[in-house]
Amino acid sequence: MLALAQPTPRHPHQYYPDSENVRQYFSAEIRQLSPERSLKATIGQSTVRRSSLQPIEKPIRRSASTVTGRSIPNLAPDDDTTPTIKGDVAQPRALLRSNTDIVTRRPSLTERPDPTEEWEMRHGYDEQYNSTQYLEQLSSTFFMYYTDKRHETGGKPRQQDPDYNPSEWRMRDRLKTVSAALIMCLNIGVDPPDVVKTNPSAKLECWIDPTPIIGTNSKTMEQIGKKLQEQYEGLSIRVRYKQYLDPSVEETQKFCKSLRRNAKDERILFHYNGHGVPMPTPSGEIWVFNRTYTQYIPVSLYDLQIWLGAPSLYVFDCSNAGNIIANFDRFVEKHEEENAEARKKDPNLQLPTHGDNIQLAACGKTESLPTNPNLPADLFTCCLTTPIDISLRFFLLNNPLPCEVSLRDVTRIPGRLAERRSPLGELNWIFTAITDTIAWNLLPRATFKKLFRQDLMVAALFRNFLLSERIMRANGCHPMSVPSLPETHRHPLWQAWDLTIEMVLAQLPAMIAAEDGGPSYEYVHSEFFTDQLTAFEVYLAQGAPNQEAPSQLPIVLQVLLSQVHRLRALILLSRFLDMGAWAVNLALTIGIFPYVLKLLQSAAFELKPVMIFIWARILAVDGACQADLIKDNGYQYFLTMLSPSAQLPVPNQSEHRAMSAFIIAMFCRGFRQGQTVCLSPELIETCIGHFQDAENPLLRQWSCLCISMLWADFPEAKWVGIRCQAHQKLCEMAIDPVPEVRAAALHALNNFLGIPDLTAQVAHYEECVASTIMIMTNDGNSMVRRELLVFFSTFVKRYQNKFLVAAFEQLVEEKEFLVDADVQSHWNPQHGSLSRRSSKPGSDDDTDIQRVSNGSVQGTVWMHLLILSIDPHPEVAQDAKVIVDYIHEAVLASPLGSRAQPLMNDIVRLSRRAAAATNPPSASRQTSAAPNGRRTPMSGSPAPPALPKNESYLSAGMRRTASMAAAMKRLTFGSSGEESQPPQTIHVTQHYPGGPKRSRVPEEWSRPPDIHDPESKPKAYIKAKAPKPRGFQKYDPSSAPALPLKSGFFDWSIEYFGEPQMRPNEPDEPGSDDYNKKLWRRSRNEKVLNCTQPLKGVAGTSRWDEPVGYFNNGSQPTKMCFHQFEDHLAIADDRDSICIWDWTNHTRLCRFSNGNPPGSRINEARFINEDDSALLMTGSSDGIVKIFRNYESEKSIELVSSFRALTDHVPSTKNAGLVLDWQQGQGKLLVAGDVKAIKVWNAATEICTNNITARSNSPITSLTHDAVEGSTLIAGYGDGAIRVFDQRLKPSTEMVRVWRKHNQWITNVHMQRGGFRELVSGCRDGEVKLWDLRWKDEVRTIRAVETDGTAAGGGSATRGGVMRGLSVHEHAPVFAAGSSSHTLNVFHTNGTPLSTLSPTIPSSYTGTHLLQSHRHTPMASAAFHPHRMVIAGGAVGSGWINVWRCKGVEGAEEKI
């Protein structure tokens, strides 16, 4: 099975309930692991999300198994026309537990047994509960539905901060140091007048001692200057260095100006060694010489700034260097003021800048340089240019332990700085990593980026400056810098640096001996990088609390330079990048991009998977890397990996191919050069081949999007795709089981439109595409429907003239329909028919225009757009209205406008007249949205057909009429012109599909029980607010509609790769708040089960008339539903409002509108995902299903999903509206009603996966299913029949049983989830029957509501009239029947009456005694709690709800 394939990195974490209670509580909702369902479990953003309480490291692979030891009921047919199940029917596959429905356990010895019961499970299920394999299956995972990202966001990308720049990490203003002036003012042999040297004193300059060769000062100076240049070249060899030895002031001015002239706008390095001149003055002046070297000449910082300009880098190695730093900015400000004054006089004047300067100084304002004879005189310069040598010397001087290594030996460490595997090169490598890491951890990000990533010379000097701060501070100096840095000399990584030096020096004697001819010695490399990678791994294991940046990230960057540690470093880096966009930004800021770009040239096989993963994360955050990928053909790396022939050293190869497809799609997005180099039939055929990969929806999705980006605005690519039949293959994806894949295919087809040369061939291709994907208008996912509207908007814009004609002809047809349905002039109550007006021959009426759009693709698309403009999802309807409004405005602006405007005016006038005539003040409520001609108790003649109120075309107020409802039935592409014509005559007659009425049966029994219920008074009814989807933005009607619509699906899809995939989501992470809430809910649920299961025996022998409370709902209830575990009661009224009550505290939590159109009402309400955070599902009589999140809070409630579950609603005089049943275990929604089929909607795929023929002309009034396997479906009909279907069989044999023991309307049919699994049905005539799927006849018949004076259940006569409703407890052997005489009769399933309940209201609302019963109003609704022994009920004409419980359960309720 497909779900057993390798999953995506977002592991679907699983929850394993305690096995010790498996035998005690059976799960009722056991599902088969269907292929389409399992297929969804392979991708996090397109699967049903698994509720998780215990995450595991790896997904569990399960193999398909056969349930052994179970019996399938032998369902023999009633007659020859009923198919049978053969004995060799294949066993179902392995079942997965759904913890939502908990079923029976055998009574314990402490429970009170029911003497009237025999322990026998119905339908042959008893054997299953004794099967060991069956019990093991109960411990499997369970699923939650409508909780994926597509439901939380609606396919809309996140709103980005307008100031956010994803490419901020790039150095847009990158500078480089191009020239360097090395000024050496030493004046060897002459000490400056203000310097007093100790004896002995520091002598070395650039590691050269000038004293032994006094008298050859010029050569010594040259050697020192040359040595300094060599030291700087070790930092950056590309800089042009120039030595200036003991310069005069004139020379200084000359070479400074020359450097700026040659450097232009690049940076200049100015290194000043003032050891042979006086210290800087308090005003910051530095000293040089006159031409004859007889005087010291001061140079003002003001002049120096003019000569050098900016940007510049200054290094001052002299005593009292802090005076320079203290005065430097003062002179810069003076220059800026002068420049500002000059610009006032001449705005066009070009002036040099002086602001961008970096300064490094050896000491403070009153500090002198160290004079330790063991240290060089230019200690600061040595720290900046030879950090390894000075670090070794500093370590030996400060090491208190005896050491065999002398100061002279440290110069004999083998290797070169550039050789990282040599001892000296490894020291330099580790030093770079440590100083980078210290700066990364202590400096602000902007400062780090400027100093350590902008310029190689600046970065090298500042890395070494951190060392100088440590060494100089140890010798009484405090180096200074601009910009200033925080203290770094106490960072703990310096200890790691000392340890590294110590390990090298410990091996130095052996290495020296080997070099001198002694025994060979193999150098033992440092464990520094290994230890730091381990520390980084610990950080990753902790989950990056508060998104704190890891201190080891710069070290990981350095490790990438080593082949030894590269693979491990890349794997850890990929885990870090997987934490989200913030982690990717940090990695890019630290400088990871050049490294991973260079690694694309590596042929290492083991690096390919991790490189693909890293690049996918980088492009998900910053897609502006296309130009980088085209360098050195880096994109070929991913094109090769996308091919099915490419092998990767990982089991989930298809997932990495999906990442490669994503990378190629990002590479081609809006980048013509990328599209050009990628264009090839091989790439398109490769993507098409991946469409067949059923195991990985992510690969299918991004294969579609890869093609979409490849041919977007690129006609050559579209023609290549046509030759590869890519557009046809994409159309086939319209029925893909994953909504994201369907939306991706639509995105690709939308970009397929628009070949500039619109020839007949091109039009044929595009029209074929449009006609093929029209089936997606019925898609259950709003994101897919919105993407379809984007396609339609592009199609409409491209063929606008044809759509103008189609829209005009629709206006003509609309007017004809309204004229025919004009109830004021053409309604004949005696004949019950509508006669159509016909135009006179030769008249100028618009009805004589020949319909040229009938049967055309554009005409059919236009009809679909009209239907989508009244879509139940607000965002879909809004987008469709924009398209419709655009065309209507174009019609008015076209030559047809002169004829279209009168048509629109007539339509508005006629629709208002029709609405007024259809809804007179005395008219009573209809139970369905469909038009019908039912008699009402307020009138003696048939009512005219109802014309539903519809949404507006234009903001001016033009409204659609009932022709839209008629059009919905005939909207299939390719319909003939005759089918598209409006009917000549509309006959409205009384039709009874159940057959001829029997004279002894009351006529009312053949109708819905609530047909005469009065509607809530409009004045007393307050309409609630309808919830909107998350992030819904209302369209501004004042703005002109614009086409085509913009799709956000691609940006939304990109977010998948920017989210964590290698670790569980926050709600599934142990210790998180959401996780703890799940644990609490699990404990609460188990407590409810433990307390309620032993009460089933009590419920069957005790009375149910103990009142719990009552509350006023504010409107007449029609449907009720208890939450299994929360104290929530959902109540739907007779309009479109739903109230959520805390029934234990009698407080209303929330009231909201379901958004029903006029003439429809809520037929069903269900809680789903009750084990965790439940959602509320509603079904309306117009065929709409809606799902709400946070239903208990008016502030937080949101619309999750809404779709038209019944697309071909058939008007009927016996209106059942919509009936549904929810299968939590299988994730299926069974929907039926006034249609000739039972539709099976898969919640995971959000498409209708099965149409079960109803096999009757009567409406389906009730649905239930077998909660064990979910394959058996039972339907009750308006003519009294009950049919059993097995979804595992082929359509011709799927009906396996039909019972016709009831004669009238089936009020309800229900199979218990637990208990004895009783199948109970109730008929309008008051009979309740119990069934067994294996038997042809009923098990038992119970008279629950009296019609002839006989006693209910054999007791005293209680005339009740009509059974208004039937409610069955899910586990206890009890049911309740509501009557039309204001009673609710509670029975044991063996027929024993338990209680007769009557709803009551307080005296303050009746004006009589304390509690007053309304004996003349029928019951409106009643519902049992799924687990507790509680029942709620309400009566017609009253908004009061009464709650009762079974006597004898007080103790258990208190425990709960």
Side-chain angles (χ1 to χ4, degrees), residues 8-50:
T8 61
R10 183 193 290 258
H11 298 309
H13 302 282
Q14 306 179 14
Y15 157 54
Y16 300 92
D18 295 336
S19 58
E20 58 187 67
N21 292 328
V22 171
R23 284 188 176 274
Q24 184 177 9
Y25 307 119
F26 298 109
S27 172
E29 294 268 0
I30 307 299
R31 69 170 185 83
Q32 294 180 356
L33 190 58
S34 59
E36 66 274 12
R37 168 67 175 267
S38 304
L39 184 65
K40 298 290 298 277
T42 63
I43 174 172
Q45 70 175 24
S46 61
T47 64
V48 289
R49 186 173 60 192
R50 306 184 184 187

Side-chain angles (χ1 to χ4, degrees), residues 599-903:
L599 285 175
L600 291 180
Q601 308 304 318
S602 173
F605 182 64
E606 66 278 3
L607 298 183
K608 294 184 182 298
V610 66
M611 286 299 298
I612 292 173
F613 186 92
I614 289 174
W615 268 97
R617 267 59 196 172
I618 292 176
L619 288 175
V621 174
D622 183 8
C625 301
Q626 298 151 319
D628 301 288
L629 282 175
I630 211 168
K631 296 177 182 177
D632 300 325
N633 296 327
Y635 66 94
Q636 289 287 351
Y637 192 91
F638 307 105
L639 283 176
T640 304
M641 293 299 101
L642 185 59
S643 173
S645 60
Q647 296 299 317
L648 293 171
V650 288
N652 53 341
Q653 297 187 23
S654 61
E655 177 196 338
H656 286 79
R657 292 195 179 98
M659 296 181 198
S660 298
F662 161 71
I663 294 171
I664 296 300
M666 293 295 295
F667 176 62
C668 295
R669 185 186 190 187
F671 186 51
R672 178 54 60 87
Q673 193 174 358
Q675 292 174 308
T676 303
V677 297
C678 289
L679 178 59
S680 66
E682 291 76 15
L683 175 58
I684 296 179
E685 290 173 355
T686 296
C687 292
I688 293 175
H690 290 320
F691 292 172
Q692 308 304 318
D693 190 335
E695 298 181 359
N696 197 331
L698 186 66
L699 177 56
R700 301 200 304 274
Q701 175 185 347
W702 279 103
S703 295
C704 295
L705 293 177
C706 183
I707 294 177
S708 177
M709 292 296 102
L710 178 64
W711 66 22
D713 301 322
F714 192 22
E716 292 82 357
K718 295 177 183 179
W719 282 112
V720 174
I722 290 174
R723 288 190 287 270
C724 296
Q725 299 182 344
H727 61 296
Q728 298 179 13
K729 300 298 182 181
L730 286 168
C731 289
E732 296 175 4
M733 306 300 286
I735 56 174
D736 190 276
V738 180
E740 286 81 358
V741 179
R742 300 197 296 271
L746 286 172
H747 191 280
L749 291 172
N750 177 59
N751 284 336
F752 173 75
L753 301 177
I755 296 178
D757 188 9
L758 186 55
T759 61
Q761 182 184 15
V762 172
H764 172 72
Y765 290 144
E766 295 180 346
E767 289 177 351
C768 287
V769 169
S771 62
T772 304
I773 64 175
M774 284 185 194
I775 60 172
M776 303 180 77
T777 55
N778 295 327
D779 198 288
N781 184 266
S782 60
M783 177 182 68
V784 176
R785 299 199 301 275
R786 289 191 68 191
E787 201 63 27
L788 177 65
L789 284 172
V790 174
F791 174 88
F792 281 163
S793 67
T794 306
F795 190 74
V796 168
K797 183 71 173 179
R798 187 163 172 82
Y799 299 92
Q800 180 169 326
N801 291 336
K802 293 185 178 181
F803 278 96
L804 296 182
V805 175
F808 178 78
E809 293 181 351
Q810 176 59 31
L811 292 175
V812 174
E813 183 179 353
E814 191 81 11
K815 178 183 176 181
E816 291 178 1
F817 184 89
L818 288 173
V819 170
D820 289 340
D822 190 344
V823 295
Q824 297 294 333
S825 304
H826 301 85
W827 175 249
N828 190 335
Q830 296 181 353
H831 298 88
S833 63
L834 293 173
S835 300
R836 177 186 172 183
R837 281 193 207 171
S838 60
S839 300
K840 296 181 180 180
S843 67
D844 294 333
D845 196 349
D846 290 324
T847 57
D848 294 329
I849 299 177
Q850 183 180 2
R851 304 287 192 267
V852 297
S853 64
N854 285 344
S856 67
V857 175
Q858 287 77 13
T860 311
V861 169
W862 178 247
M863 296 297 290
H864 279 294
L865 286 171
L866 295 179
I867 297 174
L868 288 171
S869 64
I870 53 172
D871 190 90
H873 197 277
E875 293 175 334
V876 177
Q878 181 171 267
D879 288 349
K881 289 175 184 176
V882 171
I883 304 175
V884 172
D885 289 353
Y886 176 87
I887 289 299
H888 277 150
E889 290 187 1
V891 169
L892 294 176
S894 69
L896 294 173
S898 59
R899 306 184 69 181
Q901 188 62 61
L903 283 174

Side-chain angles (χ1 to χ4, degrees), residues 244-297:
Y244 298 98
L245 309 178
D246 291 340
S248 64
V249 63
E250 292 81 9
E251 291 174 343
T252 303
Q253 179 180 2
K254 181 179 179 180
F255 70 70
C256 286
K257 290 183 177 180
S258 176
L259 286 174
R260 173 49 57 196
R261 185 169 54 254
N262 295 331
K264 297 181 181 180
D265 293 331
E266 298 292 347
R267 180 174 281 121
I268 296 174
L269 170 63
F270 181 84
H271 178 95
Y272 174 77
N273 184 325
H275 296 174
V277 294
M279 294 181 291
T281 65
S283 60
E285 296 170 316
I286 62 175
W287 298 89
V288 291
F289 303 95
N290 62 0
R291 291 185 177 181
T292 59
Y293 296 97
T294 58
Q295 292 181 342
Y296 300 107
I297 306 300

Side-chain angles (χ1 to χ4, degrees), residues 56-75:
I56 58 177
E57 290 298 328
K58 296 181 180 180
I60 302 299
R61 294 176 67 92
R62 291 187 175 87
S63 58
S65 59
T66 303
V67 180
T68 58
R70 66 174 291 275
S71 62
I72 296 181
N74 182 16
L75 306 179

Side-chain angles (χ1 to χ4, degrees), residues 163 188 197 477 498 622 882 946 1021 1162 1175 1413:
D163 297 331
I188 297 174
K197 293 186 178 180
C477 291
D498 291 339
D622 183 8
V882 171
Y1021 190 85
I1162 302 172
L1175 305 175
S1413 297

Side-chain angles (χ1 to χ4, degrees), residues 300-310 314 327-333 335 353-354 357 359:
S300 171
L301 287 178
Y302 180 86
D303 295 333
L304 186 62
Q305 291 172 359
I306 293 176
W307 300 340
L308 285 178
Y314 296 89
N327 291 277
F328 197 94
D329 288 341
R330 179 167 60 90
F331 290 107
V332 170
E333 294 175 359
H335 283 298
T353 60
H354 303 87
N357 294 291
Q359 304 144 51

Side-chain angles (χ1 to χ4, degrees), residues 977-1042:
E978 291 75 17
E979 289 177 328
S980 301
Q981 295 295 332
Q984 298 296 320
T985 304
I986 301 177
H987 297 282
V988 184
T989 59
Q990 298 287 343
H991 175 61
Y992 303 97
K997 294 176 293 191
R998 303 177 186 177
S999 57
R1000 61 183 180 86
V1001 177
E1003 180 181 353
E1004 298 295 331
W1005 288 8
S1006 61
R1007 299 181 180 181
D1010 58 352
I1011 188 173
H1012 297 309
D1013 291 355
E1015 189 178 13
S1016 300
K1017 296 180 180 179
K1019 293 183 179 180
Y1021 190 85
I1022 302 176
K1023 189 173 181 63
K1025 183 179 179 180
K1028 300 297 183 183
R1030 181 178 299 178
F1032 175 75
Q1033 295 181 352
K1034 189 174 182 180
Y1035 176 73
D1036 184 7
S1038 62
S1039 60

